[in-house]
Amino acid sequence: MLSLRTAVAAVALVVLWGLVIHVGEPLDSMGTGSPLWRKTGLIGAPTRAVVCVVAGISLLILGWLHRLLFCPLELLRSPDDVGYIAEDGRSRAQAANEVRRRRKIGELPPIYPNGWYRVMDSHMLQVGEVKNATVLGEQVAVFRGDNGKAYVVDAYCPHLGANLGVGGRVVGDCIECPFHGWQFRGEDGKCVKIPYAEKVPEFAKVRRWTSCDVNGQILVWFHCDGLEPTWNVPEQQEITRGDWVYRGRTEHFINAHIEEIPENAADIAHLAHLHTPGIVSGVDLRYTNSKTWEFIRHDWKVKWEPESDPNSHCSRMLVKHSLTVFGRHWPLMDIDVVARQVGPGVVFLLFEHSFFGKGVIMHCVTPLEPLLQCVSHTIFYQANVPPLVPKFILRAECIQFERDVMIWNNKKYISKPLLVKEDSAIQKHRRWFSQFYSPGSPRLAYQHDTLDF
């Protein structure tokens, strides 16, 4: 159903279109036969052209204002968009591929920790829709049955290998293979129909991934030994009740090991160096410390701690942010953030401000390949707060995050880092994160760099 805002905009466009492009000469209200254009003096083609140009520019401005004030912010970066320096006539893609080929990767931990991982946002999958996705080095088919429930299964049909996520269709709570019409039940992956066969073999099935649809996201559970979930992703009640609504998302691809990304929470010292320059100085680390922008500075007070049983799979980072402009503190920009990490792949960034309200950014890290992570930030904010506020918060967070991306995309993982006592939280974080690895967790046996961006 069209929203009231959309309907009003459509009516306004139709009326404006009629006024602008009407080329006839209607009679005036007195019925004297004098053309209306002539009575107003607007009889020349150049004048009409000017009116059309002005009206077109006005429509563009109105459209821009509508997107700015009412539409969610969606900023989706490609793998080579951020974090690489393209010089000597090279494109960013060429620079990214050179880094991938030449960089030393170090002695890595296992590549896929056990835990929950985001596949996509819930609103991206409508009832009866099928999508193909990549997660943890695997191709999966994600579909939403007629019952409204989301299911995730291995993408390849066990019959002859067709990709169920490319051309497959939903039939009830099953997914139908586009090649021969075999139907697999989303609940358990069992094949329930083969159109041309008298009987369906009992062993005919496709692997079903344990999944959940919570906080506006579809997530899957991974454990290298096939064990069932040992914890669940907590439900954010404000999202479920509709008190906090979707205001946008960003998406980045990181060329690094997954553990590098959450480890930033315990690397307190990097905040003062990397994230103190104002966001107006941009994301290119060659210029963020420019004297042009040194009048604006971010200040951070941070503490990271793991949680105790029964939530030992969680950790918590407390952040206090303040802003100074020309050396003067701006209390309005004081923001408290609680970053609660749940397992290796999900973080709740909870915001609270006395004036700007409350909300959450769902920060999710999903390994696509051993050294390629998809990182999404999805923001939900109080419905009664103007969308411009959470969109600004998300955009500011994106700028700070992209500074980290430039580090991650070019660094080597150091398994035994040279630390000082002020870095003690880093080792503490590594010990905490190690619980998500098992003896059977997959490791990177060799570096495979044939896939270019």
Side-chain angles (χ1 to χ4, degrees):
M1 180 183 295
L2 290 176
S3 68
L4 178 61
R5 223 174 25 240
T6 305
V8 171
V11 171
L13 287 175
V14 171
V15 172
L16 187 58
W17 178 260
L19 290 175
V20 170
I21 70 167
H22 183 60
V23 295
E25 294 185 338
L27 299 180
D28 61 14
S29 59
M30 300 298 293
T32 61
S34 292
L36 188 60
W37 282 106
R38 187 176 300 147
K39 292 180 77 68
T40 57
L42 300 177
I43 59 175
T47 303
R48 296 188 188 184
V50 170
V51 172
C52 289
V53 170
V54 171
I57 294 174
S58 299
L59 289 175
L60 289 175
I61 293 174
L62 287 173
W64 177 80
L65 286 173
H66 179 266
R67 290 192 299 273
L68 176 67
L69 298 175
F70 301 110
C71 296
L73 171 66
E74 296 199 338
L75 184 59
L76 312 179
R77 302 295 198 189
S78 66
D80 62 324
D81 270 348
V82 180
Y84 299 102
I85 298 176
E87 295 179 323
D88 303 325
R90 296 177 301 169
S91 67
R92 284 198 301 265
Q94 289 173 324
N97 289 325
E98 286 186 15
V99 169
R100 282 169 57 91
R101 285 192 295 266
R102 298 173 180 174
R103 184 182 65 170
K104 292 184 178 181
I105 61 174
E107 186 180 342
L108 298 174
I111 51 178
Y112 299 142
N114 304 321
W116 288 98
Y117 296 99
R118 170 190 172 273
V119 181
M120 64 181 62
D121 288 350
S122 299
H123 73 267
M124 297 167 62
L125 189 71
Q126 303 301 315
V127 172
E129 193 172 12
V130 180
K131 290 196 174 182
N132 182 231
T134 303
V135 57
L136 299 146
E138 301 283 352
Q139 294 289 303
V140 296
V142 190
F143 69 99
R144 195 177 294 279
D146 292 340
N147 57 6
K149 187 174 180 180
Y151 301 100
V152 183
V153 298
D154 273 355
Y156 299 115
C157 178
H159 177 215
L160 285 174
N163 192 319
L164 302 174
V166 181
R169 71 185 185 103
V170 174
V171 180
D173 63 347
C174 299
I175 185 170
E176 182 180 86
C177 177
F179 201 7
H180 297 90
W182 289 34
Q183 293 179 9
F184 300 91
R185 194 162 53 206
E187 184 179 351
D188 55 11
K190 181 174 174 53
C191 182
V192 296
K193 181 180 180 181
I194 301 176
Y196 53 87
E198 294 182 1
K199 184 179 179 181
V200 177
E202 285 294 326
F203 54 84
K205 63 185 305 183
V206 67
R207 176 191 175 193
R208 176 194 65 88
W209 290 65
T210 299
S211 62
C212 66
D213 194 344
V214 62
N215 301 327
Q217 298 182 322
I218 300 170
L219 304 102
V220 294
W221 169 261
F222 169 83
H223 195 285
C224 64
D225 299 322
L227 302 181
E228 288 300 308
T230 52
W231 75 85
N232 293 315
V233 176
E235 183 177 18
Q236 193 71 41
Q237 292 297 328
E238 293 87 347
I239 298 176
T240 305
R241 294 196 304 262
D243 299 338
W244 294 356
V245 295
Y246 174 76
R247 293 303 190 196
R249 71 183 175 101
T250 63
E251 186 174 270
H252 296 82
F253 295 90
I254 315 299
N255 184 23
H257 188 276
I258 182 175
E259 191 172 339
E260 299 268 26
I261 299 168
E263 187 171 286
N264 252 26
D267 184 5
I268 298 170
H270 95 283
L271 289 168
H273 190 75
L274 193 64
H275 298 294
T276 290
I279 59 174
V280 291
S281 63
V283 303
D284 192 326
L285 302 184
R286 295 172 295 176
Y287 311 117
T288 51
N289 284 299
S290 168
K291 291 186 178 299
T292 305
W293 305 108
E294 65 181 5
F295 66 90
I296 181 169
R297 313 290 283 178
H298 301 279
D299 294 311
W300 310 90
K301 292 183 178 179
V302 180
K303 182 180 180 181
W304 179 87
E305 288 288 344
E307 296 186 17
S308 57
D309 288 333
N311 296 319
S312 57
H313 60 280
C314 300
S315 68
R316 191 177 294 260
M317 180 175 68
L318 306 178
V319 182
K320 289 186 177 293
H321 167 269
S322 61
L323 183 73
T324 57
V325 181
F326 293 110
R328 298 191 62 178
H329 174 221
W330 281 34
L332 185 63
M333 300 305 294
D334 289 351
I335 300 177
D336 292 335
V337 181
V338 177
R340 187 173 191 241
Q341 178 152 3
V342 182
V346 179
V347 181
F348 293 75
L349 294 168
L350 292 156
F351 293 84
E352 184 171 357
H353 192 278
S354 57
F355 181 75
F356 294 123
K358 300 178 181 180
V360 64
I361 292 179
M362 299 297 303
H363 164 103
C364 297
V365 185
T366 301
L368 305 184
E369 301 172 6
L371 295 179
L372 184 62
Q373 318 300 323
C374 176
V375 182
S376 66
H377 294 89
T378 305
I379 190 167
F380 295 89
Y381 219 80
Q382 281 182 240
N384 58 353
V385 172
L388 200 58
V389 172
K391 288 170 68 174
F392 173 79
I393 292 174
L394 184 61
R395 190 69 181 89
E397 194 277 339
C398 178
I399 292 172
Q400 294 285 14
F401 183 76
E402 289 184 355
R403 294 179 182 179
D404 290 307
V405 173
M406 195 167 187
I407 297 293
W408 289 323
N409 279 357
N410 295 276
K411 77 185 294 293
K412 171 186 175 181
Y413 180 84
I414 305 294
S415 59
K416 296 179 180 179
L418 177 60
L419 302 174
V420 296
K421 67 176 183 179
E422 289 80 5
D423 296 323
S424 60
I426 295 176
Q427 283 289 39
K428 196 173 183 180
H429 185 278
R430 290 193 176 189
R431 288 193 296 270
W432 171 80
F433 199 89
S434 66
Q435 67 180 297
F436 306 118
Y437 300 127
S438 301
S441 292
R443 289 183 175 271
L444 186 65
Y446 58 91
Q447 189 172 7
H448 185 62
D449 284 316
T450 59
L451 180 62
D452 287 348
F453 293 143

